[in-house]
Amino acid sequence: MVVLVLSEDDETLGALTEHQLKRQYHVVDWMKDGRKAKEALAARRYDIYVLDWMMPDMTGLELVRKISRSEALFRRSGVPIVGYNQIRRYISASQPIRSNT
């Protein structure tokens, strides 16, 4: 069993992703915005972070940067972070982060 945080603002995609992960017996904490996801990451230990790349309040990239700057969150090193965008291109934060911003 894997405990993961899912950060997804789209109701349909979030519900579908949560359902599929729970069918595989994973524990899913679904946060509908980046700020709540950041709070959840500070409050609980997760095995995987699944982050929507484009959210209205905080992008997945911004959240990854905040995690890497936060001593409390960063000391949980080794946690896979997976980001994705609307065209289903998966981005692994274990690789160097590249952006146009």
Side-chain angles (χ1 to χ4, degrees), residues 38 51 58-70 74 81 97-101:
K38 184 176 178 255
L51 310 175
M58 182 185 311
T59 69
L61 180 59
E62 289 171 324
L63 184 53
V64 167
R65 286 182 175 150
K66 288 181 185 296
I67 291 167
S68 68
R69 288 185 199 132
S70 168
F74 191 68
I81 302 172
I97 298 170
R98 295 183 183 98
S99 74
N100 296 329
T101 58

Side-chain angles (χ1 to χ4, degrees), residues 4-33:
L4 62 95
V5 65
L6 168 64
S7 182
E8 173 57 65
D9 62 318
D10 181 276
E11 287 285 331
T12 303
L13 185 55
L16 179 63
T17 303
E18 179 186 43
H19 174 75
Q20 290 297 326
L21 290 167
K22 285 184 173 182
R23 281 186 60 208
Q24 297 174 29
Y25 305 102
H26 300 307
V27 175
V28 179
D29 287 346
W30 176 20
M31 304 298 152
K32 298 179 183 176
D33 66 62

